[in-house]
Amino acid sequence: DAKTTQPTSMDCAEGRAANLPCNHSTISGNEYVYWYRQIHSQGPQYIIHGLKNNETNEMASLIITEDRKSSTLILPHATLRDTAVYYCIASSNNDMRFGAGTRLTVKP
Amino acid sequence: EPEVTQTPSHQVTQMGQEVILRCVPISNHLYFYWYRQILGQKVEFLVSFYNNEISEKSEIFDDQFSVERPDGSNFTLKIRSTKLEDSAMYFCASRLGTDYGYTFGSGTRLTVV
C-alpha cells in the first residue's frame, strides 16, 4: 500500500469546516483512499473512502485530486465531538495499516 | 446500526498465562481482523482472516498468537503465554467485502502484570 503523509495536528473552530489534507503521491491505480478517525482510545471509526471521484456521506466529503496524489477530508461543520485523530490510508483492498494520523482539535 | 462486539472490555492477567479475547463480528461480514494499540502508539495490524483461514499476518503475530472462528459467529484471538509487552488495547474489526470500510469494536484492554 502507498505511504501517506498527514500533518501531525490541526485546530479548527467549532462550526467551521475542517479540511484535513493527505498526500499519497505513490498511490497506484487500484488503491482506494480510506479515512478513519479515533476518538480518545475508542476503536477507529470508518468515515469514507473513494477511488477517483469525490465522495460525500452523512459524516464528511472526500475530495481526491485528478492525479490522485492527494486528497482532503472535509467535515463541513465541525463540532467539539469531532476532536479525534484522523487517519488517511491508501489501500488496494489489502489489510489496512494505520499511520500516526492528524490530531484534529475543535475549539469552541 | 450493526456493531462489532468485544468481550471482555478489560482483562488483567499474569505474565505467562494464556488469554482469549473474544469478538462477535457483524453477521454478514466476511473479512475479520485483529489490531492492537499500545498506549500512546499507533494502531498496529496483527492478522486478517477470510474463508476460515489467515489471509495475512504481521511480524507481531508470532507463534504465541492464534485466531479462530469456532462457530461461525465468534472470532477469537488467543495469546498462549502473555508477556508484559502484550499489554495493549486489542481491536477486532470486520467488513462485508474488500470494497468496504472496516467496522471496529470498542476494544479489549489487556493488562499483563
Side-chain angles (χ1 to χ4, degrees), chain B residues 26-94:
Chain B
I26 293 172
S27 60
N28 62 340
H29 283 192
L30 302 175
Y31 295 79
F32 314 107
Y33 307 86
W34 283 101
Y35 286 78
R36 79 171 187 191
Q37 187 173 33
I38 295 169
L39 188 63
Q41 297 186 23
K42 295 188 306 185
V43 177
E44 298 175 291
F45 168 75
L46 291 178
V47 67
S48 59
F49 193 87
Y50 169 71
N51 203 25
N52 278 324
E53 61 183 23
I54 290 174
S55 311
E56 191 171 345
K57 58 185 180 180
S58 72
E59 56 282 357
I60 302 169
F61 194 90
D62 62 20
D63 292 345
Q64 292 300 309
F65 291 86
S66 61
V67 289
E68 199 177 34
R69 190 157 158 79
D71 55 11
S73 63
N74 291 285
F75 180 50
T76 61
L77 175 70
K78 183 194 291 187
I79 309 175
R80 275 183 249 290
S81 177
T82 50
K83 304 190 276 281
L84 294 177
E85 53 266 38
D86 293 327
S87 294
M89 281 289 285
Y90 287 80
F91 295 109
C92 172
S94 68

